């Protein structure tokens, strides 16, 4: 009997996996066909396919079930989110990112706190008028943390890093810091003693956040440097590029799991690990390993992104939750509308004031965030996605199942907000960028950014001065001989004794001789860096 039940269970799992793999393949094919469509992206496509599949399953099971798998926040945080965040850090244009680092921290940390306060207070004041009295103060604070988390995954697909480098670096960087801040806030609220709330508790809370941010960043940097040092000293490529690729895949995942083990922010850790590994580790391996890892990281991230939205789309029609709230559809729509309104107000409350403060520190008009760009930043950050879903399930469900009507109301409202914001805001973001930032603005932004290509474009330093041709595939032969036209403009507009200048001196004198990097790999016969070292290439 046990064997028969086990066999039936195994058969059901195999069927579920087959269906999911087939749907993932369909998402890739349809996404490719819609690639030139400015209204659609893979996230929206996967979400719609998930919804349609859930509807078909609901009909075939006569309303008993709509999903293949039960949504698990552990699956999301442990297996799906790390490759997405790491690949984003590994391929981000670092010079543009660090140039706007203070603005990103303002948006991601301070802005998230402002949004959290507005959403929490708004929920406390408005939800009770709708007759929702079963929620406690900790639940309202959790709602503020849940809906302060932007959807950086969907934003990555909507904005183009090459067309809008400033907007991409700001919105993406804010999204990473925002996700980390929201998760830290959510976890802190879970353990917060609201019965004894005083000024010391608030001070400890702020100190704990700063500690988590600093230690998570340090752990990511340390793991990235450790991977670079190991590969530089042992040079696995002499014997097997497979070992190099394995180390480069395992080390960032180790950093993420160590952060989770130590109750730190795995998102920040794996993000900064990706930045460090793209600057040092990636240049210490053979050229074949560079090609392999570049595509491996991008592929894992791509599949994880599609998986998440397909997952959310199918789970959105879970009949168990909707049956519990079937008697109060007006209340569900009202709560969802209130949450969307609070999200829009909360984001506007920090994007425009903090942009004004950021512009005060910029010396030239070309570096300032224009009002049109502020509108795009505000709009692009309105999307809510898998992080909000995962936190909501963690708070209001038990292993993916909802039992209380008040909890079911919050889960279904979260699903409605995520679906609406992803479909409406996600679809309209690209046309909004085209409308508000025509070609002349994009050309200006590209000309002032002069950012080096990321590992996505092969063989690139962390911070070079634009010495890579925008017309040719960068490589050891072209990176030192061809200058971008914009590099002269950069020389005339940016002070030579900048932070970048002193970082370059420190990096070349101390860091790269120890940890390697472009132009600093020791001579090994047959090494892919042999030519660049003898040509005197220094990043």
């Amino acid at each position: 009997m046990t064997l028969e039940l086990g066999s039936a269970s195994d058969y059901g799992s195999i069927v579920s996996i087959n269906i999911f793999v087939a749907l993932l393949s369909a998402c890739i094919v349809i996404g490719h066909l819609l690639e030139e469509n400015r209204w659609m992206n893979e996230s929206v496509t996967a979400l719609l396919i998930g919804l349609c599949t859930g509807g078909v399953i609901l009909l075939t099971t006569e309303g008993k079930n709509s999903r293949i798998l039960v949504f698990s926040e552990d699956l999301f945080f442990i297996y799906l989110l790390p490759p997405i965040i790491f690949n984003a850090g590994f391929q981000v244009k670092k010079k543009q990112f660090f140039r706007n680092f203070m603005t990103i921290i303002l948006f991601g940390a301070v802005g998230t706190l402002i949004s959290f306060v507005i959403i929490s207070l708004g929920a406390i004041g408005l939800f009770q008028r709708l007759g929702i009295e079963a929620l406690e103060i900790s639940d309202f604070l959790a709602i503020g943390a849940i809906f302060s988390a932007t959807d950086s995954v969907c934003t990555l697909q909507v904005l183009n890093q090459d067309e809008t480098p400033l907007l991409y670096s700001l919105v993406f960087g804010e999204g990473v810091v925002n996700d980390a801040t929201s998760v830290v806030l959510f976890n802190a609220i879970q353990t917060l003693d609201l019965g004894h709330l005083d000024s010391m508790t608030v001070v400890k809370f702020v100190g704990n956040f700063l500690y988590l941010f600093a230690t998570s960043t340090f752990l990511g940097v340390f793991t990235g440097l450790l991977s670079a040092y190991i590969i530089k000293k042992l040079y696995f490529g002499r014997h097997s590029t497979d070992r190099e690729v394995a180390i480069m895949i395992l080390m960032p995942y180790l950093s993420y799991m160590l952060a989770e083990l130590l109750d730190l922010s795995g998102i920040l850790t794996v993000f900064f690990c990706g930045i460090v590994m793209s600057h040092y580790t990636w240049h210490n391996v053979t050229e074949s390993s560079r090609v392999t890892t570049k595509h491996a990281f991008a592929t894992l991230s791509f599949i994880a992104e599609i998986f998440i939205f397909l997952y959310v789309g199918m789970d959105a029609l879970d009949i168990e939750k909707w049956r519990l709230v079937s008697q109060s559809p007006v209340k569900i729509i009202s709560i969802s509308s209130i949450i969307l309104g609070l999200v829009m107000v909360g984001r506007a409350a920090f994007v425009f004031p903090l942009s004004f403060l950021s512009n005060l520190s910029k010396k030239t008009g070309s570096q300032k965030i224009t009002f049109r760009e502020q509108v795009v930043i505000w709009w692009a950050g309105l999307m809510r996605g898998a992080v909000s879903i995962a936190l909501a399930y963690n708070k209001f469900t038990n292993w993916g199942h909802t039992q209380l009507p008040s909890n079911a109301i919050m889960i279904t409202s979260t699903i409605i907000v995520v679906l609406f914001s992803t479909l409406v805001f996600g679809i309209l973001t690209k046309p909004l960028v085209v409308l508000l930032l025509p070609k002349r603005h994009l050309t200006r932004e590209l000309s002032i950014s002069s950012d080096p290509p990321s590992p996505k474009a092969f063989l690139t330093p962390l911070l070079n001065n634009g010495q890579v041709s925008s017309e040719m595939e960068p490589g050891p032969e072209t990176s030192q001989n061809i200058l971008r036209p914009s590099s002269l403009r950069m020389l005339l507009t940016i002070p030579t004794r900048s932070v970048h200048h002193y970082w370059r001196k420190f990096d070349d004198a101390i860091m790269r001789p120890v940890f390697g990097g472009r132009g600093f790999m020791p001579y090994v016969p047959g090494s892919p860096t042999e030519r660049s070292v003898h040509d005197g290439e220094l990043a």
Side-chain angles (χ1 to χ4, degrees), residues 297-371:
F297 295 147
T299 302
L300 288 173
S301 174
F302 179 68
I303 292 176
E305 290 172 5
I306 297 177
F307 190 99
I308 287 172
F309 284 97
L310 189 62
Y311 205 15
V312 170
M314 295 180 66
D315 196 70
L317 296 178
D318 177 30
I319 196 65
E320 174 189 302
K321 306 178 188 64
W322 295 103
R323 186 180 289 121
L324 286 174
V325 299
S326 59
Q327 303 299 321
S328 52
V330 176
K331 185 179 293 185
I332 294 295
I333 295 174
S334 301
I335 291 175
S336 303
S337 302
I338 289 172
I339 292 174
L340 277 170
L342 291 174
V343 166
M344 298 177 76
V345 172
R347 184 158 183 83
F350 76 82
V351 168
F352 298 104
L354 295 183
S355 296
F356 174 76
L357 291 177
S358 176
N359 287 340
L360 292 178
S361 64
K362 303 296 176 61
K363 296 181 179 180
T364 62
S366 61
Q367 296 176 338
K368 295 183 178 181
I369 308 171
T370 65
F371 179 74

Side-chain angles (χ1 to χ4, degrees), residues 261-278:
L261 180 66
L262 300 173
D263 292 326
L264 303 177
S265 172
I267 295 174
L268 279 176
T269 297
V270 78
F271 174 70
F272 281 100
C273 181
I275 289 179
V276 172
M277 287 185 66
S278 69

Side-chain angles (χ1 to χ4, degrees), residues 178-406:
N178 165 277
D179 287 345
T181 306
S182 300
V183 173
V184 170
L185 273 173
F186 182 83
N187 292 333
I189 290 166
Q190 301 292 84
T191 59
L192 193 63
D193 185 6
L194 296 173
H196 301 84
L197 192 62
D198 53 21
S199 57
M200 283 304 298
T201 305
V202 176
V203 171
K204 288 181 180 178
F205 178 80
V206 174
N208 184 50
F209 170 75
L210 295 176
Y211 165 78
L212 287 175
F213 187 93
T215 51
S216 301
T217 302
F218 173 79
L219 180 60
V221 171
F222 174 79
T223 310
L225 292 176
L226 180 62
S227 68
Y229 186 80
I230 291 174
I231 289 181
K232 178 176 178 291
K233 286 298 181 183
L234 300 181
Y235 198 71
F236 295 103
R238 300 180 201 174
H239 310 288
S240 170
T241 58
D242 296 340
R243 295 189 180 100
E244 288 182 330
V245 175
I247 287 291
M248 289 192 69
I249 291 176
L250 292 176
M251 289 300 284
Y253 193 71
L254 174 64
S255 72
Y256 184 88
M257 295 310 299
L258 277 175
E260 295 297 315
L261 180 66
L262 300 173
D263 292 326
L264 303 177
S265 172
I267 295 174
L268 279 176
T269 297
V270 78
F271 174 70
F272 281 100
C273 181
I275 289 179
V276 172
M277 287 185 66
S278 69
H279 181 44
Y280 297 108
T281 313
W282 194 69
H283 295 284
N284 293 345
V285 300
T286 60
E287 189 170 356
S288 59
S289 295
R290 298 178 192 179
V291 176
T292 303
T293 52
K294 170 218 161 189
H295 289 293
F297 295 147
T299 302
L300 288 173
S301 174
F302 179 68
I303 292 176
E305 290 172 5
I306 297 177
F307 190 99
I308 287 172
F309 284 97
L310 189 62
Y311 205 15
V312 170
M314 295 180 66
D315 196 70
L317 296 178
D318 177 30
I319 196 65
E320 174 189 302
K321 306 178 188 64
W322 295 103
R323 186 180 289 121
L324 286 174
V325 299
S326 59
Q327 303 299 321
S328 52
V330 176
K331 185 179 293 185
I332 294 295
I333 295 174
S334 301
I335 291 175
S336 303
S337 302
I338 289 172
I339 292 174
L340 277 170
L342 291 174
V343 166
M344 298 177 76
V345 172
R347 184 158 183 83
F350 76 82
V351 168
F352 298 104
L354 295 183
S355 296
F356 174 76
L357 291 177
S358 176
N359 287 340
L360 292 178
S361 64
K362 303 296 176 61
K363 296 181 179 180
T364 62
S366 61
Q367 296 176 338
K368 295 183 178 181
I369 308 171
T370 65
F371 179 74
R372 290 186 175 190
E373 290 171 336
Q374 293 174 33
V375 172
V376 174
I377 292 171
W378 168 74
W379 182 271
L382 292 175
M383 287 175 281
R384 296 297 179 265
V387 174
S388 295
I389 288 282
L391 294 179
Y393 273 64
N394 182 283
K395 179 66 179 177
F396 298 110
T397 68
N398 182 20
W399 295 100
H401 297 284
T402 310
Q403 299 173 348
L404 299 177
S406 59

Side-chain angles (χ1 to χ4, degrees), residues 1-10:
M1 186 70 171
T2 305
L3 179 62
E4 291 178 356
L5 290 174
S7 300
S9 176
D10 292 341

Side-chain angles (χ1 to χ4, degrees), residues 388-515:
S388 295
I389 288 282
L391 294 179
Y393 273 64
N394 182 283
K395 179 66 179 177
F396 298 110
T397 68
N398 182 20
W399 295 100
H401 297 284
T402 310
Q403 299 173 348
L404 299 177
S406 59
N407 289 353
I409 288 174
M410 291 314 306
I411 290 295
T412 50
S413 299
T414 303
I415 291 172
I416 291 174
V417 169
V418 169
L419 291 178
F420 181 87
S421 62
T422 302
L423 293 175
V424 176
F425 299 146
I427 288 176
L428 295 179
T429 298
K430 284 186 179 180
L432 186 69
V433 172
V434 174
L435 176 65
L436 294 180
L437 301 175
K439 290 297 183 181
R440 62 179 181 274
H441 293 286
L442 297 182
T443 303
R444 177 188 67 84
E445 187 177 349
L446 286 169
S447 67
I448 65 172
S449 65
S450 294
D451 208 21
S454 59
K456 196 182 215 174
F458 281 33
L459 308 178
T460 323
L462 173 63
L463 299 172
N464 77 358
N465 286 326
Q467 296 180 347
V468 181
S469 170
S470 59
E471 303 294 332
M472 300 177 62
E473 183 76 1
E477 307 86 359
T478 61
S479 59
Q480 64 178 20
N481 297 324
I482 302 177
L483 298 176
R484 287 185 180 181
S486 57
S487 58
L488 179 59
R489 288 192 290 272
M490 281 188 60
L491 186 62
L492 295 175
T493 57
I494 298 178
T496 55
R497 300 294 178 179
S498 61
V499 175
H500 172 223
H501 170 80
Y502 292 108
W503 158 251
R504 286 285 303 279
K505 291 183 66 176
F506 172 76
D507 193 32
D508 289 346
I510 297 176
M511 297 298 289
R512 292 192 185 189
V514 176
F515 299 104

